Every structure is written in structure tokens, then in C-alpha cells.
Amino acid sequence: MSQRKLFIVHNPFAGGKRKEKLVRNFAEYAEARETDFVVYDTQKSGNATRLISEELDSSYTDLIIIGGDGTINEAINGLKQDIPVSVIPAGTGNDFIKNISIGKNQQQHFETAIEGNVINIDVGKCNDRIFLNGIGIGFDGQIVEDMGSKRVPLLSGHAAYYYHVLRILGSYRERPFHYRLDEEKFEKDLILLTIGNGTTFGGGFKLMPEAKVDDGLLEICEIGTLSPLKRFLNIHRLSGGTHGSLNEVNFHRATRIHVEENPLLFAHIDGERLGSPPYEIEVMPGKLKIRVRNS
């Protein structure tokens, strides 16, 4: 394996001592297999995109991302080389890896990163930004917006996310959406409109249970008018992906989505703040090489 050269990127400020140990363990694992590598620290949020864009040249054979969904999103937005990507999960939600098989423990994650099979998966593109998991517009976008602007002392990660979910679940009002799925136009009042390449958002909400990362399509979930009581009684359905049984929930599939300008709407992209529409969204079939566990 001496011809392999890994570009390893991680955020040293996320995960603390546990994350540092994970990076050291993987470096030792790679060294034991005589695999060349360089470890890059992102230093601050958003830096992975610039770092990979500027430092990852044609001498590298693989990109290894040690982190969560936010770090993954930043990294792939800086990737210009057509090389395999491996993910060693070290985030809070780790939603993207629920769509691929990389193993169930650290040892298997390391094995996959070095020895896994390479497959091609779809990515999405919103305006000029790539995403792997998806975009949430409306309710879940508002949650991420509030997490960025209304921080709660002593709460972070899952706890902060669920706090904001419960804080606005009953009071959030439907918003007018004007959008187009391929050539079909819609005008609806919705709680949320989610566009997914993957299945899961928010660390466990399975909003798009039928989504697949290799089918050349984006899955769209729309949730219409629900009373506050009905929201609280049915929020558990989102974790199990059974919310499709509600009359207010509809699913679609499309390759291109246009969402018209609306300052009342906020969105997230792979869990990171995106701001308000307009959005031009499309699927890019088979665009990304990724390593998965050998079957």
C-alpha cells in the first residue's frame, strides 16, 4: 500500500480529547500498513473547504474526513480531485453515514477507510454549494437558524437541537412556499419542505425513509398544516420514518427543484445554516467516489 497517500482532515476543536485520540489511533493504523498520509487541522469552521481546495493536489490518492456532517460538507465543497473519500464519524449526529455501510465500530471504520470498496454516489447541489445529505427549509431550517443566533448556555449537540425543536414545535406557523419540482409547479402553505439525497436529519429524524444516495434522484418531503397538538402527538413518527401515514405529509421525487425567494423561510444544508431562498437545487448522479465496507 506504499503508493497510497492520504489527505486526512479533521476539526481539532470538535470532540476534545476523544477526537484527538481518534486521530492518533487512525494515524497509527495507517502507519502500520505503510500508508503515507498528512494530517490537516481545519482550525475553525468553514476552513476545511479552503484547506482542501488549496492543499489537496494530485499527489494524494484519498481524502479521509474525521468528523461529523458539517465537516463532511465543508470538505466535499473544497474537493476538486476525483479521488475516493472515506468518513470516520466523529460528530454529534453523524446522519450521512446512515446511508452507507462503513462498519459498526472504530476498528471497522479504519478498515473501510484503508481497504474499503469504492462506489459512486450522488451528491446534490444548491446554488453553488454541494450537499450529501440534504436541505431542510421551514421548520428544521428555523431550528438551525435559532441554534446559531439563540445559543443556550450548557446545551450543545443533540441537547441543543432537541431544545429548539420543542421550543418552537407548537408555535411555528406554516409559511407560503412557491416551488417547482422538475416541470411541476406548487404553491402551498407548509411547515417544512425537505430535499434529501440521504434519509436522516437532526441526529435521528428519518424524514426521507425511501431516499437512496445512488438512484439519481432527490427525495422531497412536504409537511402541511398540523395543529400544535397533532405535532406533539406525532413527532415520534419522524424518528421511525412512519410520518408518511399522516394525510398532511406528501413525498415526491425529482432531479431539479426551484424554490422561489421568500425572506420568511430559513434553511439548513447538511445541518449548516443556509439562509433564505431563492434556491436552485439539482442532483448530480454518481458524482462522488466513496469507500464502503467490503461485503
Side-chain angles (χ1 to χ4, degrees), residues 42-246:
T42 63
Q43 297 299 324
K44 60 182 180 180
S45 178
N47 201 38
T49 301
R50 182 197 61 78
L51 187 65
I52 290 171
S53 177
E54 294 179 358
E55 302 294 336
L56 196 159
D57 59 33
S58 59
S59 69
Y60 292 96
T61 62
D62 292 76
L63 170 62
I64 312 291
I65 305 167
I66 302 178
D69 296 311
T71 303
I72 296 169
N73 181 275
E74 288 182 20
I76 64 167
N77 273 280
L79 183 61
K80 299 174 183 177
Q81 310 286 342
D82 186 24
I83 59 175
V85 174
S86 298
V87 176
I88 298 175
T92 303
N94 297 317
D95 287 324
F96 168 67
I97 64 161
K98 296 178 175 68
N99 301 286
I100 57 175
S101 174
I102 64 169
K104 298 180 179 179
N105 53 51
Q106 183 181 108
Q107 178 68 22
Q108 292 180 352
H109 297 160
F110 290 179
E111 291 171 357
T112 300
I114 298 293
E115 303 155 10
N117 291 332
V118 178
I119 64 171
N120 286 74
I121 65 169
D122 308 334
V123 302
K125 185 177 182 182
C126 177
N127 297 343
D128 293 322
R129 191 166 172 186
I130 300 296
F131 63 89
L132 280 183
N133 217 37
I135 297 170
I137 312 169
F139 178 77
D140 48 345
Q142 186 70 55
I143 294 167
V144 174
E145 184 72 17
D146 287 356
M147 288 178 67
S149 61
K150 302 175 183 177
R151 295 187 180 276
V152 182
L154 305 179
L155 291 181
S156 62
H158 280 308
Y161 187 86
Y162 289 124
Y163 166 81
H164 285 287
V165 168
L166 295 174
R167 187 180 67 82
I168 69 170
L169 183 61
S171 61
Y172 187 82
R173 300 292 298 272
E174 297 81 9
R175 305 286 199 270
F177 281 74
H178 297 254
Y179 56 102
R180 186 174 67 248
L181 305 180
D182 290 329
E183 301 306 318
E184 188 173 3
K185 292 183 179 181
F186 296 84
E187 294 185 9
K188 295 184 178 183
D189 289 339
L190 301 174
I191 293 173
L192 65 80
L193 181 74
T194 302
I195 295 100
N197 186 42
T199 61
T200 311
F201 295 76
F205 290 104
K206 203 169 185 179
L207 277 166
M208 328 291 277
E210 301 300 321
K212 294 180 174 60
V213 293
D214 60 357
D215 63 355
L217 295 167
L218 294 171
E219 189 93 0
I220 296 95
C221 173
E222 51 179 50
I223 300 181
T225 303
L226 281 170
S227 70
L229 178 60
K230 196 168 185 178
R231 297 178 195 182
F232 281 104
L233 291 177
N234 289 282
I235 191 171
H236 68 282
R237 294 180 182 274
L238 296 178
S239 298
T242 61
H243 51 293
S245 61
L246 300 174

Side-chain angles (χ1 to χ4, degrees), residues 7 18 20 225 289:
F7 188 109
R18 183 178 178 184
E20 291 177 10
T225 303
K289 288 185 172 71

